Amino acid sequence: MSQTQSAITRLDPVTFEVLKNAFVNLVDQMSEQILRTCYSFVIYSRDFSSAICDAEGNTIMQGTQDISVHVGTLHLTAKAVLEDFGDDIHPGDVFLINDPYRGGTHFCDVRVVRPVFYDGKLISFMQSNGHWADVGGNVPGSFNVRSKDHYGEGMRIPPVRIWSKGQYLQDVANLLVANMRVPEERLGDLRAQAEATKVGEMQLVRLIEKYGLDTVLIAFEEVQNYVERLGRARISELPNGTWETTDYIDMDPEVGDQLIPIHVRMTIKDDEIDYDLTGSHPYISCFLNAGFGASFSAVISGTKTFFPDIPLNSGFYRFIHVNLPEDSVVNAPWPVAVTGFCSGAYEKIMNAIFELWSGIMPERALACSFNLEYLLIGGWDRRAGYDNYFMWYDWMAGGHGGRSYKDGANAMSPVFGVGLSIQPCEGQERLSPVITTHHEIVTDSAGPGKFRGGCGVRKGGILTSCENTVMSYCCDRSRSVTWGIQGGLPSLPHGVRLNPGSDNERFLGTVFSSVALKPGDSFDRPSAGGGGLGDPLERDPKLVLEDVIDQYVSIERARKDYGVIIKEIDREIDLFEIDEEATKNERAYIRAKRRQWLQEDIASVEEKFKRGEIDELDVIRRYGVIMDYTTGHVLPNSTAQYRDMLYKRTLAHWE
């Protein structure tokens, strides 16, 4: 019998189960503490996570409310504290770290790490991680697309002591937040996170006083062994083999017309999983790169999605091996810019892993989901009674990919952080001079499929009394458009429009920084839907009819994407009718033509688009052509790469 197999016998089953769940509850109580005391609206909207680690920094447990992007990173930052301070760690100490090159994600994710002592012995670390809305740098919100290195992205905080033996080091805290916008908010979040770790410490001491130190320390080991044993058993039930796929970041700004590949090769051998991202592109000249910790998190989160019943701690990391090639877009070295990893490399890794596991576990299949996006507006609030610096920091809901036997979920948080709340417009309007003008589901945003993707959302706003205000945007998939699998079709491109419908309307794209704004300026942006799963021509026409009634799909796209001909009789009472004979003929026509469409000369497609013969969704879904919508020109290199992807994920699965 192996050591792992025998370890479970060190505690009786009841005590083990009680403590295992107590650790989860402990972390959740930390989360409740930060939720109720944080200053930042971003953290209040649940961009945070917590963990309890053992004396070596290994994660004992994460909670039920943590967002996926922090999974797999909290043990790395705990270990970074141990590496830097070693024996110079004392009761009452609290440390701060946000370093993405030491296991963190990006500079805005600031971790508070509290060592826990009992009878003079270091036994644990409590950790609270929150996304601070600004950590300095060249632009409000610390998301600077133009940065090639971290110096333009904000404060890099290596492990630093912020409380020493219980004494608050105010000078150190002031030094940090003096380099950040709205410093009083940053200090408030720091105190909230520190108190959250204190709650974790108090709860752990209560468990020790009830069950004894030795029993709790044994439980620390056993919960990790349990997760490892359970995970290995599940993996051993699956076939051995190797699978691989590629997803893309839109571009390197210094190169232009070229999708940036992220290649994922997964091997299952007995009870272990090996991920090799060799073949991924070298790091690029903007902030969409990911450091090691962020990419490791993406691998863990992508895998964990397919094993939702397995608890999450360092035992999960023992049977997963990850090779992230150095100096690549998935393992960028210091000081390469990485703040935009969340919209860049991170979700590409996750969606690629979703595709691989969808082939192994077809009952849990999931097509590509929409891309995380952040829109940041910062400046001086000149509304009556305010007169202060403001940060409008927003992310949107969007569509998840089509699933096996079921459509994708509409208007969801991104897979980057499914625990994120969508920020209430009323709260945003109270805190900043930005009024939301509309927030609605986007018709035809769902990627067509036998099981369509979920729908995306459109949101817009207008600025009121403000001064010295700029806008930045962190997103992707204006070119690597959210794709379908097993014959499914793509969604639609992301992108922001400034002053839509006016004479000075501008399409700003998906990555920009420091666009100057003035009172009265408006903006609009859609999020993509999820990609479709399965051939759209195999979708039940009655389901297409229901989508038309719900305004998820237009009558026109019902014909073009699904080959279903629907007649509107009375919209007021949702009375529509399927023309079954015309539908049969239309589907036969599409089957005969669709392979040719994906091979049509791209110059011809561009001309048709300019003449208004086809629209943006035709360009993407029928012709697989990628365009630069700021110029209206086709991108030949990106189109060739995107068509190759469509051939593999879509065309190869058609009859």
Side-chain angles (χ1 to χ4, degrees), residues 217-236:
L217 293 181
I218 290 172
F220 279 3
E221 297 178 23
E222 291 198 5
V223 292
Q224 294 179 73
N225 293 339
Y226 167 76
V227 168
E228 178 187 10
R229 184 170 55 254
L230 180 59
R232 288 185 182 277
R234 295 285 297 279
I235 299 303
S236 65

Side-chain angles (χ1 to χ4, degrees), residues 584-601:
K584 180 180 178 181
N585 293 335
E586 186 68 19
R587 286 188 160 181
Y589 168 76
I590 293 174
R591 282 194 176 94
K593 288 285 189 179
R594 58 185 178 177
R595 293 176 184 272
Q596 300 173 31
W597 288 330
L598 283 174
Q599 298 172 350
E600 186 160 331
D601 178 69

Side-chain angles (χ1 to χ4, degrees), residues 267-311:
T267 299
I268 296 177
K269 184 176 181 181
D270 301 329
D271 61 354
E272 296 191 338
I273 309 171
D274 180 87
Y275 288 99
D276 187 355
L277 275 69
T278 299
S280 297
H281 197 276
Y283 64 81
I284 59 178
S285 65
C286 76
F287 72 165
L288 296 175
N289 304 289
F292 178 90
S295 291
F296 181 78
S297 170
V299 170
I300 296 300
S301 297
T303 307
K304 181 69 170 64
T305 301
F306 285 78
F307 299 92
D309 57 314
I310 300 179

Side-chain angles (χ1 to χ4, degrees), residues 18-210:
V18 168
L19 286 174
K20 175 171 70 71
N21 290 302
F23 297 150
V24 177
N25 181 263
L26 179 156
V27 178
D28 283 348
Q29 288 187 63
M30 292 170 61
S31 299
E32 289 300 314
Q33 175 70 22
I34 188 174
L35 185 66
R36 283 164 171 72
T37 59
C38 64
Y39 277 49
S40 168
F41 201 53
V42 176
I43 294 179
Y44 181 74
S45 298
R46 295 190 175 273
D47 196 343
F48 66 82
S49 58
S50 309
I52 175 175
C53 300
D54 65 19
E56 296 178 352
N58 301 307
T59 303
I60 299 304
M61 203 64 72
Q62 287 197 239
T64 59
Q65 303 177 52
D66 300 320
I67 66 172
S68 59
V69 69
H70 302 150
V71 165
T73 67
L74 297 175
H75 70 294
L76 296 174
T77 40
K79 291 177 184 292
V81 171
L82 281 167
E83 290 169 4
D84 283 16
F85 288 90
D87 294 332
D88 186 21
I89 298 177
H90 312 282
D93 285 352
V94 178
F95 301 89
L96 208 61
I97 177 175
N98 76 343
D99 196 337
Y101 313 106
R102 300 287 302 279
T105 48
H106 56 187
F107 300 104
C108 291
D109 284 340
V110 182
R111 289 109 189 275
V112 173
V113 184
R114 179 186 295 272
V116 178
F117 288 78
Y118 194 82
D119 288 341
K121 177 183 178 181
L122 177 63
I123 60 170
S124 175
F125 289 92
M126 298 295 165
Q127 191 164 176
S128 174
N129 179 26
H131 183 117
W132 291 12
D134 185 279
V135 289
N138 294 341
V139 301
S142 308
F143 276 70
N144 185 3
V145 175
R146 299 188 184 98
S147 287
K148 296 182 181 180
D149 57 46
H150 95 260
Y151 299 109
E153 297 190 291
M155 287 287 291
R156 178 192 180 194
I157 308 172
V160 61
R161 205 186 317 259
I162 204 79
W163 271 266
S164 178
K165 299 179 182 179
Q167 183 69 36
Y168 176 50
L169 304 180
Q170 185 172 342
D171 55 345
V172 177
N174 288 343
L175 172 65
L176 296 174
V177 302
N179 292 281
M180 303 175 186
R181 297 168 180 85
V182 198
E184 63 276 10
E185 188 175 280
R186 307 288 78 77
L187 289 174
D189 289 337
L190 169 61
R191 290 192 292 267
Q193 290 176 247
E195 285 301 309
T197 61
K198 193 171 184 178
V199 167
E201 178 184 41
M202 292 168 55
Q203 294 304 318
L204 180 59
V205 169
R206 288 181 61 189
L207 291 175
I208 292 172
E209 291 175 346
K210 181 174 183 178

Side-chain angles (χ1 to χ4, degrees), residues 302-352:
T303 307
K304 181 69 170 64
T305 301
F306 285 78
F307 299 92
D309 57 314
I310 300 179
L312 188 66
N313 60 32
S314 287
F316 199 85
Y317 315 148
R318 296 176 183 172
F319 56 86
I320 297 176
H321 310 287
V322 183
N323 177 39
L324 300 170
E326 294 183 356
D327 297 331
S328 70
V329 72
V330 298
N331 189 3
W334 173 85
V336 172
V338 295
T339 291
F341 84 96
C342 42
S343 294
Y346 187 89
E347 287 190 343
K348 310 307 186 299
I349 297 172
M350 283 193 73
N351 279 295

